[in-house]
Amino acid sequence: MAARLHRHASELPSLPLRLSASRTRLLEAANRPPSALRLRPKSCGPARVMAAAASATAEEGLKKGIAEFYDQSSGLWEDIWGDHMHHGFYDRGVTASIDDHRAAQIRMIEEALRFAGVSDDPSKNPKKVVDVGCGIGGSSRYLSKKFEAQCEGITLSPVQAQRAHNLAVVEGLADRVTFQVADALEQPFSDGQFDLVWSMESGEHMPDKKKFVGELARVAAPGATIIIVTWCHRDLLPSEDTLLPEELNLLNKICDAYYLPSWCSAADYIEIAQSLSLENIKIADWSENVAPFWPAVIRSALTWQGFTSLLQSGWKTIKGALAMPLMIEGYNKKLIKFAIITCRKPE
């Protein structure tokens, strides 16, 4: 496996992508796409009730899969990459070392704040932050330190929530940063509570994107900044109603590996934000700025520490590792877009 992965560890823009036949069969046979991905015919009466029940069951299964995936994989990620479980931001066309990658993850946070127009003026700093899909709390602790803010993080993974709390204690932040297991689509917060709403690479896990953004807006205080950094598929052409069959097939394989529901485009997020009357909506495609990331993750899996830890981490993590070349393929084909969407809640 290591030898095959090694072929994909070059720079992203010129990366040829092939999976072995056995690996492809493995990925296709592992788990079928969640039923939420499949279109259901409209119905009424008992059929509609049954469809709603099936959808709810599929959503619960998705949440369980997400939690278990991160329960198994977070320790491995932290051992190799540290406490920030997201892409790094790089200058376009650079070649980076592992130290550069960790710095690039911090830069991703700073670039997101800059793009959203979050002021460095201490008098204007956010004082209450929510980190939606917090992982092991890397962004939460960073933002709390930067702004001297109270921060609350939520995740579906009990392992992540506990580790995030332990790290906050070690860093002397337990009085300012807290974590809990909670659903981003039903957040345990009152309306208008936070003046910075932060979602770093969690939106792709949300089965209902409108409800997701609606919850971000609900917990945002009037005038608060909302930052969403997420994986999207390319925008559809005016002549298209859907992606091409081969594109959907590739995304479904990635969904299987990473417990994702159906994808949406950045344009879909804009439409949702507009429908919620959010203001100052901005969007950018940072796909080229994250280009070195997935090849670097693959290279880290080829180290002895990475390879042996991967084998010990469980099937869900191994399946995710085998799917890493598919992410690179999606970026190379301009199908996957790394998007940032920012907006403000009206005063």
Side-chain angles (χ1 to χ4, degrees), residues 81-223:
W81 280 78
D83 62 341
H84 292 280
M85 301 184 68
H86 57 78
H87 285 69
F89 188 99
Y90 310 82
D91 293 322
R92 298 185 180 194
V94 303
T95 300
S97 70
I98 186 65
D99 291 333
D100 295 326
H101 296 308
R102 290 173 180 155
Q105 289 174 308
I106 299 299
R107 186 179 174 189
M108 174 63 74
I109 298 174
E110 289 292 342
E111 291 290 339
L113 293 169
R114 179 196 59 76
F115 182 82
V118 178
S119 176
D120 280 330
D121 182 345
S123 67
K124 299 178 180 179
N125 282 351
K127 297 305 178 186
K128 293 197 71 178
V129 180
V130 62
D131 184 358
V132 179
C134 63
I136 58 173
S139 290
S140 300
R141 291 185 297 277
Y142 184 87
L143 294 170
S144 178
K145 291 175 185 176
K146 179 179 177 67
F147 296 125
E148 297 185 352
Q150 295 289 324
C151 188
E152 299 197 45
I154 60 173
T155 172
L156 289 174
S157 165
V159 170
Q160 286 188 334
Q162 184 61 56
R163 181 58 179 159
H165 170 73
N166 292 346
L167 289 171
V169 171
V170 169
E171 295 180 28
L173 294 171
D175 60 332
R176 296 210 317 246
V177 185
T178 60
F179 302 95
Q180 61 180 301
V181 176
D183 185 351
L185 300 184
E186 296 178 5
Q187 296 181 34
F189 308 119
S190 58
D191 295 356
Q193 190 170 339
F194 302 100
D195 46 13
L196 176 60
V197 178
W198 178 269
S199 172
M200 175 62 70
E201 296 188 50
S202 63
E204 54 270 17
H205 283 298
M206 307 301 166
D208 186 335
K209 301 297 192 287
K210 185 167 186 178
K211 188 175 182 182
F212 167 55
V213 180
E215 275 292 273
L216 299 183
R218 181 185 67 79
V219 301

